[in-house]
Structure formats: structure tokens, C-alpha cells
Amino acid sequence: MIKREFYLSQIRPFYDSDLIKVITGVRRCGKSVILNAIKDEIAERSDNVIYLNFEELEVSERISSPIDLVEYVKLNRKKSKCYVFLDEIQVLDKWQMALKDLRLRDASIFITGSNSKLLSSEFMTYLSGREVSFRVRPFVYKELLEYSKELGKTVTPLDYLIFGGFPARIEQQGEKETTRYLNELKETIVIKDLLLRHKVKKDVLFRKIVDYVMKSNSRIFSSKSIYDYMRNERFNCSINTIIKYIDYLKQAYLIESIDQYSVKAKRELLYYSKIYLCDVGFNSVLKPDGAYDLEHNLENIVYNELVFMGYELTTCRINEKEIDFRAVKDGKTYYIQVAYMAAHPATYEREFSPFKTIDNNNQKILISLDPIDLSTSVVRHIKFEDFLLLDSL
């Protein structure tokens, strides 16, 4: 497995801090690999290291309460600063109580989890702000290239468009095996991280909503639109139930939503949102007979790559015309359109016309799969394959 220096470089300054280091992200995105890489680096200078993975039966059976965890660390640590690594800690009930105790005992604590409740307001309040968090995501394309090279494989932008960036999916032998892996991962998340954890009783309805949302990436949505769809499908539910289920998906890091920005009013319109998946592979496994939704996956991947680069994103609507992203970083603003192919006259007009109402003080960018350069005097065209190799715009 590759060393994900992008994340390690952010965490290293906190190795000896008494702040609790919280590493979060969707299941199987590589959190445990990063945790082990940190452990290995620290083990080079200290032998006072404790590691526990709470998804291992032996660990969960032996340590079933906060008191058990505190006692285990006390019995197995040395007198100097102890480095404690707790993988998938959310499995342990009331784990926050143990952490509050351990951090007062000269311990540097690192935890991972697949649920954003790790970063909930209740958790923050309980620890009085004594934590620092790091969000880990599936591979972006540059990381996927690095890992595929390590495995002696090749991965193309088209492959990334279809199957996304979960690390283990590149280890699979072919398309059938990759699809099976992604399906099983999706099922694990739906059952273990959502249905069981939240004690969802309407499991058929919940699964239907999950599949609908995963097939609706890179689209404007509202709870009302999902409600109308479910009623159409003869499912009886309330808008409040849908809002609750959507929140569950966000808590498990399966989806994110961004708000719409009004250029005219220079403010965000909070009642308009767009859904993006943590990984487009979850969209592709729901498409029958390989009828992949490459157009929306393309926009979703651009979203994931821009977030990785550190841009703050909103979608934008100007005079009834949508611009896919307003990206802001270091005081610079970029307006970005994403198109599968933009050379056709009708598509060209649709993608370029919204730019006409924006002044030229901010850079305007088109990202597409077109092999030819479509740049104009005021719009910069970036080919998708080139965009994937950028560190910033």
C-alpha cells in the first residue's frame, strides 16, 4: 500500500500533542493504513505503543466498556509518554469517556472511525475542544496511479470514471470482480454503518432511498423531490423521515451536498443543494448492463478532486443558467463548468453561455473529455486527463 504523504504531513505536527487525533472517512478508504503508517513512524523512536482494532472480535470481546479500555492501557503501557492507537473506536459504547481519562495520563491518542458522529457537537463538547480531526477520502487519481504502479497494473481516466478510487478495488482481477467488491462494500456500509447502527426499521424504504440518492449524484435535489419519487414508487414515508435518512448517509461519509451561490445577491441559497458521492463506484454498480452514467460521474470526480486540492465549493446559478462550481481558495475564485464533450455546437453554447454574465476578474474554466483545446480569450479549457494530474488550478 502506498504511503499517503498528503495526510501524514498534516498529522505529523500533532504526534506528541495531547490533542486527540481523529481520523475519519468512509469505510475502506484507507484510514487504518494511515493509522498504521503513523504507528510505524512513532515506533521508530518509542517502544511505548499500544494498538487496538475494535473490529477484531478478540479486542471487542476483551474490551467492552470505557473502564476496560483504561485498565488495558494502564496494564500494557510503560511510564513514559504512551502512544495509543484505537482503530474503529465507535464500536465501543461510550468510548468518549475513556479518551477523556487517557489523555490526562500522558498519552498521545489516535483514533479512527467511519462515522461523522466522531465529530459531532456532543463529542466536541465532551472533550472541550481537545481534539484535531483529519478527513480521509478514497484515492484521487494521482494516488490511484501510484498504487496501480506498485501493483504492476495500469489505470486510465476512463477506468477511474467508472470504478472510482477505493484502494482495494484496484486489487481486483477484472470488471466482474471489481463490481462485486464495490457491491459488497456498499452492502456492508448500508447494513453495519447505517441499518444496524441507527436501528432503522423500514429497511426496504431505506435501501430504496439509498439507491435513489446514489444514482442521483451531481444533481440538484431536495427532500421534497425524493419524497415525490418515493410516493410515485408506492412507498409511504414522510419528508422528515427522508431528511433523517439523508443525514445518515452523510454521517457515514457516503454523500456530501453543496449549496447554491447567487452571484447577484452574493450569498448562498441554502434551500438548493447538489449531491455528490464519496466515490463514483457506488453509482456505477447500480447501473444495469454497463450503462454507466459517465457524464454525472465526471462532474462528481471533478468535485472530489477539487475538494482534495483544498477548494471551497458551491454550485452557482445565473439568470436561470447553472455553473457547476464556484471554487474558492487563497482569496481566488474560479467558475468551473464540467462537460463530457463540449465541441458540439449546442453543447458548446450551453456550457459557455453562463460565463458571459460573469466579469473577467475571476478565472473561468471548462473541464471536459474533448481531445482538442477549446480555450477562448476568456475561458480556459482543461482536458480531463490533464486536470487529474494538477495539484491546484
Side-chain angles (χ1 to χ4, degrees):
M1 181 62 74
I2 64 172
K3 188 174 184 178
R4 302 182 77 179
E5 184 62 28
F6 175 82
Y7 297 105
L8 291 174
S9 63
Q10 298 174 46
I11 304 171
R12 279 195 195 101
F14 299 93
Y15 278 8
D16 295 309
S17 170
D18 67 345
L19 294 173
I20 296 169
K21 279 66 70 176
V22 184
I23 302 171
T24 61
V26 68
R27 184 180 289 270
R28 302 294 174 258
C29 69
K31 301 183 300 296
S32 297
V33 171
I34 291 172
L35 192 70
N36 276 285
I38 297 169
K39 177 172 66 70
D40 291 345
E41 288 188 0
I42 289 176
E44 292 177 0
R45 58 183 174 87
S46 172
D47 62 353
N48 197 3
V49 174
I50 293 174
Y51 172 85
L52 295 167
N53 182 349
F54 283 86
E55 288 200 323
E56 294 178 359
L57 182 60
E58 182 181 352
V59 174
S60 61
E61 287 290 322
R62 179 189 301 177
I63 302 172
S64 59
S65 72
I67 294 175
D68 290 344
L69 177 55
V70 172
E71 287 301 314
Y72 180 89
V73 173
K74 284 171 62 177
L75 288 172
N76 289 276
R77 65 170 295 172
K78 296 178 173 62
K79 288 186 178 180
S80 59
K81 179 183 283 289
C82 182
Y83 298 88
V84 181
F85 296 86
L86 307 172
D87 206 355
E88 296 296 345
I89 185 64
Q90 79 278 348
V91 173
L92 180 67
D93 192 33
K94 298 180 180 178
W95 50 268
Q96 301 96 322
M97 297 172 64
L99 299 194
K100 188 173 183 181
D101 184 284
L102 290 173
R103 65 169 295 272
L104 299 175
R105 299 174 182 267
D106 196 20
S108 179
I109 304 168
F110 301 80
I111 66 174
T112 74
S114 304
N115 191 307
S116 65
K117 283 297 185 182
L118 285 172
L119 304 177
S120 69
S121 58
E122 294 89 347
F123 174 46
M124 299 298 190
T125 301
Y126 194 86
L127 293 177
S128 303
R130 304 303 296 177
E131 83 299 315
V132 58
S133 63
F134 306 91
R135 165 77 181 277
V136 177
R137 298 172 179 272
F139 285 161
V140 291
Y141 188 64
K142 291 187 290 292
E143 293 177 308
L144 201 60
L145 282 179
E146 186 181 352
Y147 190 42
S148 63
K149 184 177 180 180
E150 183 180 287
L151 297 176
K153 297 186 175 185
T154 58
V155 60
T156 65
L158 179 60
D159 177 71
Y160 182 42
L161 265 178
I162 296 171
F163 295 116
F166 275 106
R169 76 89 175 163
I170 196 67
E171 300 167 6
Q172 309 308 310
Q173 294 303 310
E175 185 172 325
K176 183 182 294 185
E177 291 78 13
T178 301
T179 300
R180 180 175 179 177
Y181 167 76
L182 290 171
N183 261 318
E184 289 178 353
L185 175 58
K186 170 179 166 287
E187 279 299 296
T188 299
I189 293 172
V190 168
I191 294 172
K192 293 185 70 174
D193 293 339
L194 299 172
L195 283 172
L196 295 180
R197 180 172 297 165
H198 297 291
K199 298 180 175 61
V200 177
K201 295 179 180 178
K202 298 180 179 180
D203 60 323
V204 177
L205 171 66
F206 182 75
R207 285 173 178 274
K208 188 76 174 177
I209 290 174
V210 170
D211 286 355
Y212 176 77
V213 169
M214 285 185 172
K215 288 189 287 189
S216 303
N217 61 327
S218 308
R219 295 169 174 86
I220 294 287
F221 88 103
S222 67
S223 300
K224 176 64 164 56
S225 64
I226 298 174
Y227 170 80
D228 291 341
Y229 172 80
M230 290 300 147
R231 296 283 289 183
N232 235 18
E233 294 290 305
R234 302 291 189 270
F235 281 94
N236 187 27
C237 63
S238 69
I239 290 181
N240 285 338
T241 296
I242 290 171
I243 292 172
K244 180 172 64 176
Y245 288 172
I246 293 296
D247 188 51
Y248 291 167
L249 298 183
K250 291 180 178 179
Q251 287 178 27
Y253 297 108
L254 277 173
I255 67 170
E256 297 174 32
S257 63
I258 62 173
D259 298 317
Q260 190 170 86
Y261 181 86
S262 167
V263 170
K264 185 175 182 180
K266 294 186 178 180
R267 64 185 177 88
E268 291 181 9
L269 304 176
L270 299 179
Y271 41 86
Y272 290 112
S273 294
K274 224 173 185 182
I275 289 176
Y276 293 97
L277 301 178
C278 68
D279 191 270
V280 297
F282 287 141
N283 175 286
S284 294
V285 297
L286 292 170
K287 299 300 180 180
D289 304 319
Y292 302 120
D293 188 359
L294 299 184
E295 184 174 355
H296 288 98
N297 281 1
L298 176 65
E299 183 180 329
N300 203 139
I301 280 179
V302 170
Y303 168 84
N304 290 339
E305 295 274 342
L306 288 172
V307 169
F308 183 83
M309 293 179 196
Y311 289 93
E312 295 182 13
L313 303 175
T314 52
T315 186
C316 191
R317 196 167 184 83
I318 307 169
N319 298 329
E320 302 306 312
K321 294 182 178 181
E322 181 184 319
I323 290 182
D324 294 319
F325 299 112
R326 178 180 182 268
V328 179
K329 181 181 177 182
D330 298 331
K332 295 181 179 179
T333 300
Y334 304 83
Y335 289 93
I336 303 167
Q337 288 284 70
V338 182
Y340 187 70
M341 300 290 280
H344 187 278
T347 308
Y348 185 93
E349 173 61 23
R350 184 184 72 236
E351 300 298 337
F352 276 80
S353 60
F355 286 136
K356 296 175 182 177
T357 57
I358 299 175
D359 63 52
N360 295 327
N361 293 326
N362 301 307
Q363 191 172 144
K364 308 168 188 180
I365 296 173
L366 170 70
I367 299 170
S368 77
L369 292 174
D370 293 278
I372 59 174
D373 187 1
L374 299 175
S375 298
T376 70
S377 59
V378 295
V379 177
R380 173 187 170 199
H381 176 223
I382 305 176
K383 298 174 186 177
F384 179 61
E385 60 187 21
D386 295 332
F387 167 76
L388 293 177
L389 301 178
L390 295 178
D391 293 319
S392 69
L393 296 174

